[in-house]
């Protein structure tokens, strides 16, 4: 795999996905193209949309076998560990959806206020 011209001298790249990007799928596609050119990339996200876009483009570019997914977990001792979740991304999606799920049922809250 040949590196994209702009990254010819880059050995690895760490990218932080910003929620201010208007089109997260565009950014995910760029990241996957960089990986496809042979440059290792480490990204961090809180966005299930961005994560799904990375999965989608990794499949599109046939690089899924080169992509690993990890989830940070905080233990009882407040130490953070990284858990590989490549084969079970559902736990990541459930974790990312949890805060929204807690506040989705507006009718339930209205009922409690009566």
């Amino acid at each position: 795999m040949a590196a994209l011209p702009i990254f010819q001298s880059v050995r690895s790249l760490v990218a932080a996905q910003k929620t201010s990007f208007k089109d997260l799928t565009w950014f995910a596609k760029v990241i996957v193209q960089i990986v496809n050119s042979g440059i290792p990339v480490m990204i961090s996200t809180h966005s299930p949309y961005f994560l799904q876009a990375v999965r989608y483009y990794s499949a599109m570019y046939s690089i899924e076998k080169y992509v690993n997914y990890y989830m940070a977990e905080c233990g009882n001792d407040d130490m953070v560990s990284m858990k590989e979740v490549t084969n079970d991304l559902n736990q990541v999606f459930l974790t990312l959806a949890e805060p929204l799920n807690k506040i989705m049922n507006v009718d339930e809250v209205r009922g409690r206020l009566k």
Side-chain angles (χ1 to χ4, degrees):
M1 293 182 252
L4 297 173
I6 193 168
F7 294 110
Q8 284 180 342
S9 64
V10 176
R11 294 194 182 262
S12 64
L13 179 68
V14 176
Q17 171 264 314
K18 294 179 64 170
T19 55
S20 62
F21 277 117
K22 287 186 177 184
D23 187 355
L24 293 176
T25 59
W26 171 85
F27 185 60
K29 186 175 183 180
V30 168
I31 293 296
V32 169
Q33 288 175 332
I34 291 168
V35 171
N36 193 38
S37 72
I39 298 170
V41 175
M42 183 174 143
I43 55 175
S44 172
T45 187
H46 292 96
S47 169
Y49 308 108
F50 181 74
L51 181 60
Q52 182 59 29
V54 170
R55 290 177 70 200
Y56 177 85
Y57 289 114
S58 294
M60 177 186 278
Y61 286 93
S62 301
I63 64 165
E64 290 177 291
K65 64 183 176 185
Y66 303 112
V67 179
N68 295 313
Y69 299 90
Y70 297 87
M71 184 168 73
E73 293 183 328
C74 187
N76 293 336
D77 57 359
D78 290 332
M79 295 297 292
V80 176
S81 62
M82 301 302 284
K83 176 181 177 185
E84 184 174 359
V85 293
T86 303
N87 295 320
D88 186 13
L89 285 176
N90 285 336
Q91 62 185 300
V92 177
F93 288 113
L94 290 171
T95 300
L96 292 175
E98 190 175 323
L100 182 60
N101 288 338
K102 287 181 179 178
I103 60 171
M104 283 300 293
N105 197 341
V106 175
D107 291 333
E108 181 182 316
V109 171
R110 289 182 185 132
R112 280 190 264 153
L113 294 175
K114 290 181 180 182

